[in-house]
Structures are given as C-alpha cells and as structure tokens.
Amino acid sequence: MSLFNKILDYADRLPEGIERARDQVIGLLDADRRHDTPQEKMNDEIRAQINASHRFESFADQRTDNAIKWHVDGHDYMWAVSELLDNAREVIFILDWWLTPELYLRRPPAKYPQWRLDKVLQRKAQQGVKIYVIVYKEVTQTMSMNSKHTKAALEALHPNIACMRHPDHIGSKDTVEFWSHHEKVVVVDNHFACIGGLDLCFGRWDTHNHPLADVHPTDFSVTLFPGQDYNNARVLDFQDVSNYISNAISILETPRMPWHDVHMTICGTVVLDICQHFVERWNEIKNRKYKHDDRFEWLAFPHNVSVNPNEAVVRHPCREKWHQIGRSFRQRFHLGDYDEVEPPFPPFPYGTCRVQAVRSVCDWSHGVLTEHSIQNAYIQLIRESSHFIYIENQFFISSTREEGPIKNQIAHALVERIVQAARDGQKFKVVVVIPELPGFAGNIKDETAMKTIMAAQYRTINRGGHSIYEEIRKAGYEPMDYIRFYHLRSYDRINAPLETFISQMERNSGVTFHEAQIALARQWEGTNYLTQDAPRDVFVKVPQATNEGIVVSNQTPIKREKVPLPVSYDAAVDVIRRFEAGSGSIRGDKNVADSVSQHALQDKTSLLDEMWMGSEEEELNSYVSELLYIHSKVMIVDDRRVIMGSANLNDRSQKGDGDSEIALVVEDEDMIRTTMDGRPYMAARFAATLRRQLFREHLGLIPPQNVSFDGQVTWAMKPAPDPHDDETDLAEDEAVADPLAEETLNLWDGTARKNREIFTELFRPVPTNLVQTWSAYENYVPKVKTGHVVPGIGLRRVKERLAQVKGSLVEAPIDFLKDEKDLVEGVEWLGLNPTLPIYI
C-alpha cells in the first residue's frame, strides 16, 4: 500500500477511532451507568433480595435429586462431553475461557477423525441444533488463545452456530484491561451440563498415565498430541494457535507438560441454574455488543414458572421481557399435565445429590452488582468442617487478614479452623496439592508473572509475616501437624534413538523427522485447511542445554529448524508414509515402548523390563521428567461436601469483581459406611469416591489408562446420569478410604517424600529446599536440556530409581528461596503496584 493510500485509510478510520475514544471516556466517567436509574436500582434490589434468601448469598438455591458425576483428567471428560454433544437434539450452550475448534475429543485422532470439536458441532448444526458460544476475548498483546480465530472458524461451519467474544479491552464503554471470562461450561438441551476446570482447548486432554512423550517413529497413526496439542508452557507458550500445524517445539527432545484436571457432568434441575447463568451472560453481551446483529438472537429462560411458581427466577427482573423477545428451548424437569419426557432423556429422579450453583460475577462480566458466592461457600465449608479438608487448585493465593493487597479470606478461615481444632485437641488435617510452578514461560528472576505468583503463594503459605504457617505458630501450634502442601511430577522415556535409528530413517527416506511431525499435524487438518494466508514453512524449536531450571527464558540460545509445510493433504500423507518406510532396512520398532509413564501406576510389568534398541547413551538421553500441571479447582470437606468449578484459589477468581466464574457445591445423600480416624463414619458417595480416586491416582494405586483403540468405553467415560463402577471394595480403595488413619497419612507422606528424593537425585528440578538463595540457585541447576537427566548418573541407576516411583505425588519445597526476603517483602506488597491485581 502506497503512503498516499495509507493516509486515506487512516483518514477513513479516524471517525471510528474518535468514536471509540469517546465511548471509553464515557465508560470511565459513568462507571455506574447500568445501576443509576430508579428502574436499575430496583432491579439490583430484587437481585439482592433473591441472593440474600439463598445460602452463600448465591443467585441460586439448593436443588435435590441431581445426578452429578466426576471425571478425572481430560481423557474421560472429553469422551463424556463428546457423547453429550453428539446426542444434542435442540440446543447447545458453550461458555469457555479458551475454545479450540481443532480439538480432538477422542484419541488418537487417526482412530477418531470425526470427533474433532468443530466437526461434531458442524454435524449437530446441520441436523438443526442451535449452538450458542461465548468465549473470552483475550488481551492479544499478552495472550495467545486467538478468540478471533475461534469465532471465525465456528461461524464459518453453519448459520446455526453463533459465537460471541467478550470483553473489549480498549475503545469501548466497557473497557476491561485485567479480567477474563473464566468459566468452562457446556449445556445440552437444557437437560445436561458440564462444569469444572477443563477448557475445550489445546493442552488439556490427558490420560491418568500423563505421558511426557509422543514419538512413534514407525507408526505415526498412534500419535495422541498432534500439532500444538503437544505443548510445554515452561519452554514455550502456545504460538499462532490459529495455525494448528505450527508446533513450535521438537517432540524428539522436549517433554510435554502433562495436565491434571477435574470436571463434572450433570443431569438434574441444577442445570436450570446453569442455563440461567448462560442466558444472563448472552443477553448482557448481546445488549452491549450485538444489539442490532440478527445472528445473535435474544434468549429466554427455560424455566416453566407456571408449573413451579416457587422458582427464584420468577422474581428475576428481566424474565418477562426476555420471555417476550427471546428464543426459548424446552426443559424437561418441571412438566405440565400433558408433558412427557421422551427418550433418550432420562426420567425423574436423576440422582441423589443436593447441589447449589455459586459464582463470581459483577458489572463488567454480567451486568450485575458484585456476587462472590464462591468465596462465601469456600469460607463457610471450611468453618463447618469437622475432620479433613482436601484442596487441589491451580493457585493458592489468599490472606489471613483484611489488611494488605490480597483480599480473599479463605486462608483466614483455614487458620481459624486449624487453631480451633488445636485448642480442642482434635485431630484435623488439611492437604493442599498445587503445581510446582505457575504455567508461564520466562526466567523467574526477570519474569514478573512467575515471580509475583510464586511470592504471593509463599506469602500465603509460610512467609511475609502473616502467612498461614506464621499465624498458626503465633497461636502456639506447629502448622505441619495440621496443614501440608504437595505437588505432582511425572517421568517418561522418549522413543527417539537419534543416531542409531532416527537419523538412519531420515537418510533412507529423504524426509526429516520434523518434516514428518509437521506433515502429521497437517494431515489432521483435512483437505480444506490451508488458505492463501497459510505459512509455507514452520520453525521448530530444538532444545539446547541450559542452566535455567525453572523455565526457559528468551535469553537461552535456541536452535530453530525450518520445516517446509506440505502443500496438500495428500502430500502430507505421502511425507509420513515415506518417513515410516525409512525403517524397513534397519529394524522394526514394535517391541520398544513409545512411553513408559504407565510404570508409575499399577502396570503388570516393570520399567526394568522395557526394551531399548538404540545405544545406552541414547536411552539415557531419552529419559525426561516434568512437573505435572495441576489445573483442578476443587475442595473436598470431610468426604461429604465438594465445591468444584472454574474458580482458582486467588483474588482474581474469588473476589467477584475480577474473573467471572461458576462452581457447584455438591452434597450426595447416598451415604457409604467407612471410617474417619478409625471410627465408624458415614461418607457421601460423590465426595468420598472422588477424593479416593484422586489419592489413588497420585499414589499410583490405579491401573494404567490406555487409549481406546477398540472403542471400549468404561463407565468413567460416560456422562451423568450413568454412574461410576463401585470400587469401594477394592484393596487400593480401602488403603486410602480413611484420610485420617495413620496408615493413610504414612502412605501419602512416605510416597511424596520418596518420589521427591528420586526426582531430586536424577533431574534436580526446582523449586527445591536445597536452594534458599539466588546464588545457590545458580550453582545448583545443571546445564542440561530442559527435563533431562543431570550429568554423571548412569543408565542403570536412572532405571532402578525411576522404577521405584509410585504415582506422581511429591513434597512441596516450601523453603525454596526463603532467605531472599525481597521476594516476599518488596514494595509491591505495600499496595503501591497498580498491576499487582493481574497476578493475584
């Protein structure tokens, strides 16, 4: 474009820019513009009265007879959601922080090509199902999700799919700089729903094995993580996600970051409250951004208030208006005299769970005054606990007092409950499992997000003057007797004998491994993917040795290998075929495992039995370890009550005026006989079986989870209301049934300690209690490729020690950098840093 044409273009856009600036000024000067007229104030008062009438001051009341089913890790949940979506008859709602249209819900993709998310949604839209999607509109300068691509890709599939992006970040009346829509919700036909921690996006699908490797030199069709779905955020964040084949890391030498998460599928009347939450959000964004766009129609609540006039939604200030102008879809819970529930919808009763929806919303996110019923629920459940609390969360940032920059009071509630138990001489335990590190790339000494979040967590746990540990010690008690912290970590072996096999295959075939890797990702895109804007080449980041132990920063020397992109689907298939054929004159590969992570679970064989057909040095170089990233947002109290959803344990999620969130408080009325501290006890089935499953996975007391090549579907993969298999009589279940029994506590702590010792010896991961200053950090971290074995240890020792790893549980090294006082006591913690709320 010439300079003159550029000037004309800018001139044409000038009025738009002026209008955007004007809108932003209006938004800043009139922040209460949705709550200042008499009618708006009346609406706010009605909502406040509804909330005040409910436990936790939630928008929703408790509901009985719900079927709630937990799903641990992406393999099970995504299969379940694929069934729900595939069975949709009328309508689908999706609310997500990040949604990847190219996500495979069933794996491997070669076995289930029709189960890519966009293909599932397109099938349903073609059948007449209406699909409404809301995704978070990210800050493009700092985030890589590319919601623009999500919207464009989905809406191009069929006119029955409409996708909203929100919020706008600059140039509007509702400029939002820091906060995000963080819910992960799916609703099908107003009858089934999903809530939890798993976004439908890259990087989330995983099995209980949590493999770090996905190299299959002679059979690429068994690949589980094609393209950008093979990711390690410690090395490099997602890049150019609209270009699915643009995988930026070499799978030959870089382990993936495994992903642990928990989600629920739901059938029952609580689905109506989830529908209400979605409809409110949809209509609010419609009113602000898409008021005159016919693609985005108004929606009405599905509730049948004539049959059930006691519903709280009867008083909703917008119900009548939306009923008149909005599209309504049938619900099958509150039926009229002549209504029937037709198959395949299950009839009443659906289950045994009493459930309440809670949320974090405010004006920017939902057009309402601030509601923080999730934080209220956490605090009340902690205060009402009697014996034991188990927490898994992506973050652990809270405060024990009202003063200071961190405002949520969950830590204060924990201290209160622990001190009360100590004074009463009661046995009481809190177990907290969080990631070893925040999931960001960048050097800890220079990376603001990484350093600030770690500091905030240490200030919550054991430093800074008012942490949980310090407050308990002030009361005269030893905190380690009551509350302890843990992480998860995995190991694997990458099937990549580079010199004796991979290099020879490359020479024989005339195709490099990375060319085949990129061609495979291209193949999964199908015949219609590439456009004139698609790149001709892809650059793969090949790892180099570094002594940056926490993350790889942009200061680390990198080697980028340029890989040409196949021009067509057929060309991609041919590239893979040629590479695989390159092994013909060398050897076969079927006796060499492509992953050995299953040996941390109850595999029938031992790691010591695994074959290797390369050199000993190649095998040694193929062993890797990586933190197992915890993304769950769950608390289990006394094996009776559960709160689970999208909310992290930090201010962003808990205050209500930050990120928007939704969660469920679940209390199952189906009770099972067990013990608590050796005494007879009645536990709730949903809470107890979930906690036991998590314990068993982390301790390695479950069988390996192999992907279903033969189409076999377990009960764990089926959505609610199909129940789980009853495993309460298994020996492994009984071993963890009593969370206060000394045998259980010793098993948990002993496993965590031994696993930590093994990983420390072989890989020297950080954080570690052996490093308490920056100078010690620089001397401790070995110069190796990220995740690889430290120098000076032989192959036999590596295999013998890793064969002793059970599960993935490791102790949390909470004394890491404890002598660096500035980390937790700098001026930013005096409330002088305006960007601090972004991270906490």
Side-chain angles (χ1 to χ4, degrees):
M1 182 183 291
S2 69
L3 177 61
F4 178 72
N5 287 333
K6 286 183 179 180
I7 293 173
L8 290 178
D9 180 59
Y10 291 143
D12 288 340
R13 291 160 55 188
L14 189 59
E16 177 187 353
I18 294 173
E19 183 178 354
R20 285 179 175 272
R22 170 183 168 276
D23 285 345
Q24 187 159 358
V25 171
I26 291 173
L28 292 172
L29 296 179
D30 190 13
D32 293 327
R33 62 194 174 279
R34 283 185 286 269
H35 308 279
D36 53 5
T37 69
Q39 183 62 51
E40 290 166 344
K41 290 180 179 179
M42 182 182 296
N43 291 347
D44 289 337
E45 177 59 27
I46 293 171
R47 291 191 183 95
Q49 291 174 5
I50 293 173
N51 287 19
S53 69
H54 297 153
R55 185 179 62 162
F56 311 131
E57 296 186 60
S58 171
F59 77 105
D61 203 355
Q62 301 177 70
R63 294 185 182 269
T64 59
D65 302 312
N66 293 275
I68 312 292
K69 186 172 183 179
W70 49 258
H71 302 272
V72 177
D73 297 324
H75 173 280
D76 290 350
Y77 167 63
M78 290 188 187
W79 189 289
V81 79
S82 75
E83 285 198 9
L84 289 179
L85 293 174
D86 193 49
N87 289 329
R89 298 292 187 89
E90 297 169 355
V91 63
I92 295 169
F93 298 151
I94 300 177
L95 177 58
D96 222 337
W97 180 75
W98 180 16
L99 185 148
T100 305
E102 299 84 6
L103 175 73
Y104 281 88
L105 300 173
R106 302 183 183 185
R107 314 269 173 122
K111 170 70 175 177
Y112 302 104
Q114 73 276 25
W115 291 101
R116 204 172 76 177
L117 179 57
D118 56 355
K119 295 181 179 180
V120 175
L121 295 179
Q122 185 179 45
R123 278 201 306 273
K124 301 315 295 184
Q126 290 170 343
Q127 294 168 12
V129 175
K130 297 287 288 185
I131 300 171
Y132 304 85
V133 181
I134 304 172
V135 292
Y136 166 56
K137 183 180 178 182
E138 75 285 2
V139 180
T140 55
Q141 292 86 347
T142 60
M143 296 172 143
S144 58
M145 294 101 75
N146 200 337
S147 61
K148 183 178 180 180
H149 164 69
T150 299
K151 177 179 173 66
L154 292 182
E155 292 188 341
L157 297 173
H158 196 275
N160 277 345
I161 302 176
C163 179
M164 291 180 171
R165 300 164 68 214
H166 186 260
D168 292 328
H169 298 287
I170 192 168
S172 75
K173 293 179 183 178
D174 296 297
T175 294
V176 178
E177 296 178 352
F178 296 161
W179 315 123
S180 65
H181 289 304
H182 198 240
E183 300 100 322
K184 302 93 170 61
V185 175
V186 176
V187 179
V188 174
D189 292 334
N190 293 330
H191 204 82
F192 306 96
C194 313
I195 280 182
L198 279 158
D199 297 280
L200 296 175
C201 69
F202 287 153
R204 274 41 170 183
W205 189 95
D206 211 341
T207 69
H208 301 328
N209 299 8
H210 298 296
L212 311 184
D214 197 29
V215 174
H216 314 273
T218 61
D219 186 3
F220 277 57
S221 70
V222 295
T223 296
L224 296 178
F225 306 96
Q228 291 219 42
D229 223 355
Y230 190 102
N231 176 260
N232 189 323
R234 284 206 314 126
V235 176
L236 191 68
D237 202 358
F238 290 98
Q239 302 286 313
D240 187 18
V241 295
S242 61
N243 180 10
Y244 182 62
I245 45 75
S246 183
N247 186 348
I249 61 175
S250 168
I251 68 174
L252 284 174
E253 300 171 86
T254 303
R256 64 178 287 270
M257 180 184 287
W259 199 273
H260 171 70
D261 220 324
V262 187
H263 217 90
M264 295 174 286
T265 53
I266 304 146
C267 178
T269 52
V270 73
V271 173
L272 295 175
D273 299 320
I274 303 168
C275 290
Q276 177 184 335
H277 181 76
F278 183 91
V279 169
E280 289 173 339
R281 176 72 49 78
W282 179 272
N283 287 347
E284 183 65 25
I285 300 173
K286 160 78 174 172
N287 187 53
R288 295 188 203 178
K289 289 191 64 175
Y290 305 100
K291 198 167 189 175
H292 304 294
D293 190 333
D294 292 338
R295 183 169 193 134
F296 304 94
E297 55 195 343
W298 298 96
L299 294 176
F301 293 139
H303 307 64
N304 188 341
V305 298
S306 62
V307 174
N308 194 7
N310 295 322
E311 286 276 325
V313 77
V314 170
R315 299 184 61 204
H316 194 286
C318 298
R319 184 185 64 82
E320 286 288 351
K321 174 185 175 183
W322 291 346
H323 180 71
Q324 294 169 7
I325 67 173
R327 180 156 187 168
S328 178
F329 296 91
R330 185 184 175 199
Q331 58 83 31
R332 294 167 174 82
F333 299 120
H334 301 139
L335 303 177
D337 292 338
Y338 302 103
D339 290 335
E340 294 182 354
V341 178
E342 74 280 17
F345 298 99
F348 180 87
Y350 312 99
T352 57
C353 291
R354 184 171 71 255
V355 187
Q356 185 177 8
V358 288
R359 63 185 184 181
S360 294
V361 291
C362 63
D363 178 68
W364 86 257
S365 61
H366 217 73
V368 300
L369 298 182
T370 300
E371 176 184 338
H372 49 74
S373 52
I374 293 178
Q375 182 184 171
N376 296 346
Y378 265 91
I379 291 172
Q380 185 170 329
L381 293 180
I382 290 168
R383 287 175 174 166
E384 294 175 355
S385 62
S386 300
H387 305 283
F388 177 80
I389 296 173
Y390 179 75
I391 296 173
E392 277 188 11
N393 207 284
Q394 184 182 2
F395 299 103
F396 193 80
I397 299 173
S398 185
S399 180
T400 63
R401 58 186 187 139
E402 294 182 0
E403 300 82 11
I406 300 171
K407 299 302 181 183
N408 82 79
Q409 295 293 295
I410 294 171
H412 177 67
L414 286 169
V415 170
E416 275 190 330
R417 185 63 191 90
I418 289 169
V419 170
Q420 184 61 52
R423 287 173 178 163
D424 294 342
Q426 177 193 12
K427 190 172 186 178
F428 185 85
K429 299 287 183 181
V430 181
V431 171
V432 183
V433 185
I434 56 176
E436 273 190 346
L437 293 166
F440 302 98
N443 187 291
I444 183 175
K445 296 183 73 171
D446 307 317
E447 176 59 39
T448 300
M450 175 77 70
K451 186 163 71 172
T452 303
I453 292 171
M454 291 184 71
Q457 296 192 150
Y458 289 136
R459 284 173 61 89
T460 305
I461 297 169
N462 68 335
R463 302 180 213 173
H466 298 280
S467 65
I468 291 174
Y469 277 31
E470 289 167 305
E471 292 300 309
I472 295 173
R473 287 195 176 106
K474 289 175 188 176
Y477 306 101
E478 172 51 48
M480 295 284 283
D481 292 340
Y482 298 93
I483 179 169
R484 295 196 178 199
F485 293 80
Y486 303 86
H487 304 314
L488 303 178
R489 176 164 280 275
S490 296
Y491 77 86
D492 209 340
R493 187 186 70 180
I494 302 174
N495 183 12
L498 297 180
E499 295 301 322
T500 62
F501 192 47
I502 301 295
S503 294
Q504 291 187 47
M505 288 182 67
E506 291 177 331
R507 288 192 291 269
N508 290 351
S509 65
V511 176
T512 70
F513 180 88
H514 289 141
E515 286 173 342
Q517 174 186 336
I518 297 302
L520 183 76
R522 168 67 185 89
Q523 179 182 349
W524 301 136
E525 287 308 305
T527 56
N528 299 319
Y529 169 65
L530 293 183
T531 68
Q532 59 184 4
D533 299 322
R536 296 182 179 179
D537 303 294
V538 176
F539 289 90
V540 176
K541 183 176 180 180
V542 181
Q544 305 296 300
T546 175
N547 57 4
E548 295 178 299
I550 289 184
V551 287
V552 177
S553 75
N554 55 13
Q555 299 175 1
T556 303
I558 62 172
K559 178 183 177 183
R560 292 166 63 88
E561 180 179 321
K562 184 177 180 180
V563 179
L565 184 66
V567 297
S568 68
Y569 174 90
D570 292 336
V573 173
D574 183 63
V575 167
I576 298 165
R577 180 194 59 77
R578 285 161 50 205
F579 181 82
E580 291 175 341
S583 67
S585 62
I586 309 171
R587 61 172 171 83
D589 196 48
K590 66 178 181 179
N591 293 324
V592 180
D594 294 326
S595 171
V596 297
S597 61
Q598 71 275 10
H599 293 298
L601 303 178
Q602 290 182 317
D603 195 40
K604 295 179 180 179
T605 63
S606 166
L607 176 66
L608 301 177
D609 300 327
E610 290 290 354
M611 292 187 61
W612 182 261
M613 300 181 73
S615 68
E616 285 195 7
E617 181 181 4
E618 287 175 322
E619 184 176 12
L620 179 63
N621 291 337
S622 293
Y623 277 99
V624 289
S625 178
E626 184 54 86
L627 67 86
L628 171 44
Y629 196 67
I630 299 158
H631 196 254
S632 319
K633 297 94 169 54
V634 61
M635 180 173 75
I636 305 170
V637 176
D638 295 333
D639 275 5
R640 287 180 177 169
R641 309 166 94 181
V642 176
I643 181 169
M644 185 196 304
S646 65
N648 290 316
L649 211 158
N650 59 9
D651 268 8
R652 289 188 62 110
S653 290
Q654 297 290 338
K655 281 178 62 182
D657 59 359
D659 294 349
S660 61
E661 310 282 5
I662 191 166
L664 298 183
V665 178
V666 182
E667 299 167 87
D668 196 346
E669 295 177 349
D670 178 9
M671 309 300 283
I672 59 177
R673 295 183 182 276
T674 182
T675 59
M676 182 69 73
D677 195 19
R679 299 181 180 90
Y681 186 76
M682 298 301 290
R685 183 175 297 277
F686 179 85
T689 56
L690 171 58
R691 200 266 309 158
R692 295 179 189 184
Q693 175 69 17
L694 293 171
F695 268 42
R696 288 173 56 197
E697 178 176 338
H698 302 336
L699 293 169
L701 298 177
I702 59 173
Q705 184 175 52
N706 299 313
V707 294
S708 181
F709 286 93
D710 58 1
Q712 181 180 0
V713 180
T714 67
W715 284 108
M717 299 158 65
K718 301 286 290 183
D722 287 328
H724 281 287
D725 281 341
D726 187 352
E727 297 185 341
T728 56
D729 59 345
L730 294 181
E732 294 84 357
D733 207 71
E734 293 176 359
V736 297
D738 187 337
L740 289 187
E742 288 302 314
E743 295 83 358
T744 307
L745 296 171
N746 291 337
L747 174 63
W748 181 267
D749 285 328
T751 302
R753 186 179 308 112
K754 185 170 184 178
N755 287 349
R756 172 60 73 187
E757 291 170 354
I758 294 170
F759 286 123
T760 297
E761 175 190 347
L762 301 182
F763 298 98
R764 282 197 225 163
V766 283
T768 172
N769 285 336
L770 300 175
V771 171
Q772 299 183 3
T773 64
W774 285 121
S775 59
Y777 173 85
E778 293 168 358
N779 293 327
Y780 176 83
V781 177
K783 189 171 184 179
V784 295
K785 295 175 181 178
T786 300
H788 286 252
V789 176
V790 301
I793 300 180
L795 175 62
R796 181 176 179 179
R797 178 66 175 176
V798 169
K799 297 176 72 171
E800 288 176 345
R801 291 293 275 160
L802 288 179
Q804 299 173 45
V805 170
K806 302 300 180 185
S808 53
L809 189 71
V810 292
E811 293 177 323
I814 59 176
D815 289 335
F816 178 62
L817 295 177
K818 75 171 186 177
D819 293 338
E820 297 291 341
K821 303 299 183 185
D822 288 346
L823 180 66
V824 297
E825 298 177 4
V827 294
E828 62 266 32
W829 300 107
L830 300 177
L832 303 178
N833 182 355
T835 65
L836 187 62
I838 300 174
Y839 308 112
I840 62 174

